[in-house]
């Protein structure tokens, strides 16, 4: 009650927040878990949706699959596309990614850091509910490299 209700209210406010930040995404499933990860890339007019070798991820958001318990992956969006992020978008502007890191909460199992921006991704006209806050990708951090290596293996 003390954590769930405030978290739900925070997500509801974020989902209907003002003006979205648009990003390209690649959708990955976490092996052995019922979660998916949106890996976010800058939306640049010169890059196609599938990016290229020089394309660098800038953040990630773990999301719950939208399906039922029996078929959790039903209703997931395409594996690549455009997503609109609503919520604490001030922390998503280029050069201001905030603190944390994809691996910080995921690998060590720590609860959400309140300094992580709360964002709700919308794609195909509906929200994908996040499990945690937005995580900037930091390639220089060994924990981030381990996290994404595990996602891709």
């Amino acid at each position: 009650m003390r954590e769930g209700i405030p978290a739900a209210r925070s997500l509801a406010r974020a989902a209907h927040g003002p003006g979205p930040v648009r990003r390209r995404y690649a959708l990955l499933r976490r092996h052995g878990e019922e979660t998916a990860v949106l890996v976010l890339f800058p939306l640049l007019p010169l890059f196609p949706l599938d990016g290229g070798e020089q394309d660098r991820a800038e953040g990630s958001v773990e999301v719950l699959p939208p399906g039922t318990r029996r078929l959790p992956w039903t209703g997931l969006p395409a594996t690549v596309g455009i997503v609109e992020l609503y919520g604490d978008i001030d922390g998503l502007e280029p050069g201001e990614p905030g603190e944390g890191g994809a691996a910080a909460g995921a690998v060590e199992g720590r609860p959400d850091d309140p300094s992580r921006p709360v964002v709700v991704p919308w794609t195909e006209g509906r929200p994908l509910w996040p499990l945690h806050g937005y995580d900037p990708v930091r390639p220089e951090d060994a924990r981030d490299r381990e996290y994404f290596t595990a996602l891709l293996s």
Side-chain angles (χ1 to χ4, degrees), residues 61-98:
V61 177
E62 290 186 16
V63 297
L64 287 170
T68 64
R69 283 186 188 222
R70 292 184 70 199
L71 301 168
W73 304 110
T74 301
L76 275 177
T79 55
V80 296
I82 304 291
V83 66
E84 293 182 334
L85 302 172
Y86 287 85
D88 189 7
I89 59 175
D90 292 336
L92 302 182
E93 296 306 319
E96 299 287 335

Side-chain angles (χ1 to χ4, degrees), residues 38-58:
L38 289 176
V39 181
L40 305 168
F41 299 87
L43 185 60
L44 301 173
L46 300 178
F47 285 103
L49 282 182
D50 59 354
E53 290 183 27
Q54 302 302 320
D55 205 12
R56 302 267 180 192
E58 67 178 21

Side-chain angles (χ1 to χ4, degrees), residues 26 51 82 109 121 132 149 153:
I82 304 291
H132 309 288
T149 299
S153 63

Side-chain angles (χ1 to χ4, degrees), residues 23-38:
R23 296 290 190 261
R24 289 179 302 122
Y25 73 85
L27 180 68
L28 303 172
R29 292 186 191 181
R30 289 199 57 184
H31 297 288
E33 296 183 30
E34 290 188 0
T35 61
V37 179
L38 289 176

